[in-house]
Amino acid sequence: MSALSSAYMKVSRQFPVLGGASGVEALGRATVAIVGCGPLVAEAIKDLALMGVGELQLFCEGLVTQEDVNTNFLLANQEGRIGNEMAVVILERISYWFPDVKVTVHREGELLVRISNQSAVLYAEGPIPDKLSLQCDEKCRQLGIPFIAAQSIGVAGAIFNDFGPSTFTFDLGIEKMDKTIDQIKFVDDALEGTVLVINAADLSHGLTLFDTITFSGTALNCLNEASEPFPIADILTETSFSISASSLTKLSGTSGSTFPGGGSYQRVSITDTLPPSVSLQQSLSTAPSFPSTCDLHTSMTVFGLIKAYSTFVQDTGCSPHVWDDRDTKSIVDTVNSYNFPVSKELLEKLAPQVGGVVFGLNSILGGLASQEVIKALLHLHTPVHQWYFISADDCLPDVKPLDTTGKGSRYDKGAEIFGWSTQERLMRLRPFLVGAGALGCEYIKNFAMTGIACEDSGCIVVTDHDSISKSNLNRQLLFRESDVERNKAVTALSRAIIDLNSSLSAHSRALQLQVEACFEGEFSDSLWENIDAIICGVDNVEARVLLNEKAHFYHLPMFEAGTEGLVCSCKVVIPYYTAEYSPPVVGANVAKAVCTGKTFPFNPIHCMEWGKDRFNEIFWEKGSVFAEMARQPDWPLTVNMSCQQIQDHFDICEKSSNIVSLYSGLQHNQEQKQAWIHSQLRTWFVTEIEKLLTVHPAESVDEKGVPFWTGFKICPKPLREICEATCTSNVWKNMLVKSCSDLLDLLFGTNKSFYFNKDDPTHLKFVSSAGNLLSMTRGLPIKEITEAHALAGSIIPAIVTSTSIAAGLVSLELYKLSGTSSKATSYSGYCCLRSNKLSRTPSKPAGTSSRGLPCFSSTIIHCTGAPVTIIQVRMACLQAIAKNHLCSDHKFTLQSLLISIGKREISMPGKRDAEKPFLQLIEENLGHTLPGDIHWARIVAGVSCLPETVLIIKCPILRS
């Protein structure tokens, strides 16, 4: 059994997607060359460093400029270093951000000399191609080194892979499995001849016709000892499949005969090959190869723009100026000269801003490029074959903004594409970020660099009740090892203020509260009424459902994203415009599997779940009673109790007194504590099993003569010798006794109960050792502590590349709600890095609505005891109109009216008259729609103004 090392805890969430320990070790030995020092390079450095690449060698030139400080988060807040050597400054900053990674910095002229020492090369300097990129690619082809290039051009970008002139073999990364067998049966098949039908003991065998499997521990030695894996002959049902028995020379039997269950089958890894790659030079002169998941016209348009951008830079020595008519015409003419099947509309939309920088796009492209590097290093998962193109043109303004001139501000690059009116609305935003983990850190980084909430009237509120653990460090940018056990929200926000953008500090605040139904009262109306959007960075369905309810109640847009391994997605929920957030449906068979496993464990995961239940019973359920009564002897007695409540109180106290008496005795007597722990082991692994065997003896059968202990019902064996107090030879028993003793000391020393935390080593030792002892009673495989970590923690695989992409997708959507386009539509995003699919599709509308996105704004009047009059409503409306740069005499049409009284909502259809001035429209409708018995309410009025624009006014109102 291996020790639970600090290094393992840092990368545990990556194990499933990096091929386990061997993949993590291979990354630790790798050296990756990165060419460039721009914002896209910064994203790639972040992703590769956090994933555990052993050494990064950066090749860059020049001096630090103001633009570098404004656009590269590694150099943020480094205005004092402008004019210094880039190589010196960037080395210092990378070492600061990623202290565990070995980093060296060289001049670009040394690249071709040092390239032979690299495991892979990522070229992100741009433009592609230039002389150095072509030379680098050719050198890599000669040496057999994977070459990956990436370039962003405004809201579009591309990735190019060259894995050499030979085929590239890789593992598809199909999830490994080890499943218990319920029964094996002979069957004569007309096509296959004699086959073996295998019934899985689980609710699903989890196989496909393309899989191959091996066996171990079955009743048929010829299966266990086979030299070659068995292909699947047929998938029969969800729980049964067949294999051909023709190759089994030692097998004898007749059709219909069966063998008892037991043993297991394992899925074998599947490999595939990538065709030989052509060089970068050759790919530019032929039709590019790209995945079928990329749209043809979009891909060819972006490909043409990439080539035209390179030509422009070579001819002029500078990048095209954003929205410059002459530069735009030059780009468009060059693309048209290629005679590619481009989209004329898309070309005209993208061409004016190819020289711009969009942080959300770089976050996405950096994640994609970094994952291609990982695929090349590990030969794991399907790489992109040659080219991959992306475009987020839906975020762009309809027409050239009139206010794009630079102001010498750090936000000039954003304003030059979207205009200062949009940029300033972003700076005034007041988002409520729920969750400061992996997604939360990426959001905060993007907010800081984009300028979101960085004006005096802006504000970011971040909440997260969780503390930082070591397993967070490999994908959560804003945390260091010295931050372990500190609160995530407080740490993330304070580090962003110090290292990314000091303007965040004005009104931003961090809360240490949990967003759950039971904590709902912690978040007052004033919090929800003073925010503009909900950004959801939580990892549980319950919190998302609650936030969706809040979004609709307070009429707030909600941005929801999630990741699982190499897959990520995002969704925008806009009340009454898009479909609501709907939680995944849990099937009945899932509940059945859990119940069956707890009663008759037949898989190691069932045993780990049982261990978690024992942990929470001792240290959370009973621990809470002990801790609460230690602090409040009269708990839970309170004033104004009814007679029945008082009786219930004394019933609780009577049940609790035994717990308090027991734990108090254990607290003050070490011998008694050790004796109690050993008695628990005897109860769990001897007494309870003997009771079960008394009811169902090993040889018992049912009324039909079928053995009770068969299939997934494994007959247990008591661990009598191991549970003797004098036995010290079993490592799992020793670990359980030691961890239980340490945890009891922690409970008694702090008077604080605790729930199982998968990232706490002592918690994990208790659960894994208890689970493995239960596995021993059933003869199930024993799991090493690294495997037990995944089982006991029910760990969802997590990797920083998918997190970066998810946060980037959400960041792009924020531009739309800041008014970039009157015809903008919110998009849902999905990315699967395993299959090289990135899609962004219009959000499903609510009902039959096809209106454009609302531009959310709110002006709140707080009722402090004095009546709120119609005059104050008029003032609120005028303030909101001014805030959105609209004129008071613009004509509006009422679209919806929602009145909230406490937590009750009344939806009014509104009086859809002809267009009228806004104030007149609101006053008339208030008189017609407010019920006579309502004296105070909060009104949300949705009105349209200036075709396709919607203004939201929220204010309390007193009906006279």
Side-chain angles (χ1 to χ4, degrees), residues 262-278:
S264 61
Y265 61 88
Q266 302 81 36
R267 178 160 54 191
V268 178
S269 298
I270 302 175
T271 60
D272 200 353
T273 56
L274 205 65
S277 300
V278 301

Side-chain angles (χ1 to χ4, degrees), residues 445-660:
K445 183 244 324 174
N446 288 348
F447 290 170
M449 297 307 295
T450 307
I452 289 174
C454 290
E455 198 177 79
D456 286 345
S457 57
C459 172
I460 295 177
V461 180
V462 187
T463 188
D464 198 316
H465 74 289
D466 200 7
S467 57
I468 300 162
S469 63
K470 286 188 177 179
S471 69
N472 300 146
L473 302 180
N474 72 307
R475 65 194 188 285
Q476 298 181 12
L477 171 71
L478 300 176
F479 304 146
R480 306 288 181 271
E481 190 153 1
S482 58
D483 297 325
V484 170
E485 298 186 359
R486 294 178 182 171
N487 177 261
K488 288 184 176 180
V490 174
T491 306
L493 189 57
S494 61
R495 178 151 286 119
I497 292 169
I498 295 170
D499 293 329
L500 294 175
N501 194 333
S502 57
S503 297
L504 287 172
S505 63
H507 303 289
S508 298
R509 55 198 176 107
L511 308 176
Q512 301 183 43
L513 300 175
Q514 186 177 12
V515 176
E516 300 286 355
C518 57
F519 292 91
E520 187 175 347
E522 302 284 351
F523 301 95
S524 63
D525 279 351
S526 62
L527 183 146
W528 299 105
E529 290 172 344
N530 282 286
I531 61 175
D532 296 322
I534 300 171
I535 313 293
C536 183
V538 295
D539 58 0
N540 67 85
V541 171
E542 293 78 8
R544 289 182 173 119
V545 170
L546 180 61
L547 290 172
N548 177 70
E549 293 173 357
K550 293 294 184 184
H552 281 75
F553 182 77
Y554 291 97
H555 210 93
L556 295 165
M558 182 178 89
F559 300 83
E560 186 271 326
T563 69
E564 182 173 348
L566 297 174
V567 177
C568 67
S569 63
C570 82
K571 181 178 182 179
V572 182
V573 176
I574 300 177
Y576 316 112
Y577 282 80
T578 66
E580 296 187 44
Y581 169 77
S582 55
V585 178
V586 179
N589 61 339
V590 176
K592 180 180 176 183
V594 173
C595 296
T596 302
K598 286 186 176 181
T599 307
F600 302 104
F602 57 86
N603 190 299
I605 194 170
H606 301 145
C607 299
M608 296 300 167
E609 286 294 325
W610 177 89
K612 286 165 61 176
D613 288 345
R614 300 292 72 75
F615 181 100
N616 292 328
E617 175 188 350
I618 295 173
F619 305 109
W620 176 250
E621 296 170 13
K622 295 179 179 179
S624 296
V625 174
F626 169 80
E628 194 63 41
M629 295 192 75
R631 290 193 296 268
Q632 303 180 52
D634 292 331
W635 174 85
L637 193 63
T638 61
V639 296
N640 301 324
M641 277 186 168
S642 66
C643 292
Q644 182 60 50
Q645 288 173 322
I646 293 173
Q647 181 60 51
D648 292 342
H649 160 72
F650 285 115
D651 289 342
I652 293 171
C653 286
E654 185 177 358
K655 294 175 183 178
S656 302
S657 63
N658 294 331
I659 297 173
V660 176

Side-chain angles (χ1 to χ4, degrees), residues 748-759:
F748 300 148
T750 61
N751 277 342
K752 291 183 179 180
S753 57
F754 38 85
Y755 202 77
F756 173 68
N757 178 359
K758 66 182 181 297
D759 296 320

Side-chain angles (χ1 to χ4, degrees), residues 180-226:
T180 306
I181 295 172
D182 182 21
Q183 185 186 74
I184 301 176
K185 184 177 181 179
F186 271 94
V187 175
D188 287 332
D189 185 272
L191 297 176
E192 296 285 344
T194 302
V195 299
L196 293 180
V197 173
I198 291 94
N199 290 328
D202 210 341
L203 291 169
S204 173
H205 51 63
L207 299 170
T208 71
L209 286 172
F210 304 102
D211 290 326
T212 58
I213 58 174
T214 58
F215 293 88
S216 61
T218 71
L220 301 173
N221 285 332
C222 55
L223 290 180
N224 305 332
E225 299 169 357

Side-chain angles (χ1 to χ4, degrees), residues 60-62 64 84-92 105-107:
C60 60
E61 297 280 355
V64 177
N84 291 3
E85 283 283 343
M86 173 63 79
V88 175
V89 179
I90 198 73
L91 174 60
E92 178 186 314
V105 179
H106 312 280
R107 297 190 180 280

Side-chain angles (χ1 to χ4, degrees), residues 797-947:
I799 197 165
V800 67
T801 48
S802 57
T803 304
S804 298
I805 293 168
L809 290 170
V810 169
S811 297
L812 292 176
E813 295 302 310
L814 285 171
Y815 283 106
K816 299 179 185 178
L817 286 186
S818 297
T820 57
S821 171
S822 63
K823 300 178 182 179
T825 301
S826 70
Y827 274 53
S828 295
Y830 170 84
C831 179
C832 178
L833 292 168
R834 190 191 304 273
S835 60
N836 303 317
K837 180 179 181 181
L838 174 65
S839 62
R840 298 176 64 252
T841 56
S843 298
K844 184 179 178 181
T848 58
S849 172
S850 60
R851 290 168 289 177
L853 285 179
C855 179
F856 280 88
S857 174
S858 59
T859 301
I860 309 298
I861 300 177
H862 293 290
C863 183
T864 57
V868 181
T869 66
I870 198 68
I871 300 300
Q872 289 174 290
V873 175
R874 290 176 62 93
M875 292 302 297
C877 295
L878 288 171
Q879 291 172 25
I881 289 171
K883 182 177 177 181
N884 284 269
H885 307 288
L886 303 176
C887 298
S888 59
D889 59 350
H890 276 139
K891 299 298 188 295
F892 294 76
T893 303
L894 187 69
Q895 299 292 337
S896 64
L897 198 60
L898 182 70
I899 301 172
S900 303
I901 306 109
K903 292 190 176 182
R904 182 163 62 96
E905 293 184 353
I906 302 175
S907 182
M908 300 293 178
K911 185 181 178 184
R912 289 173 171 77
D913 295 332
E915 292 186 344
K916 295 182 178 180
F918 179 68
L919 298 179
Q920 178 185 348
L921 186 73
I922 291 295
E923 289 177 14
E924 289 182 2
N925 276 275
L926 286 177
H928 284 88
T929 60
L930 274 176
D933 61 340
I934 294 177
H935 297 286
W936 191 94
R938 179 172 53 255
I939 179 172
V940 179
V943 298
S944 68
C945 167
L946 305 176

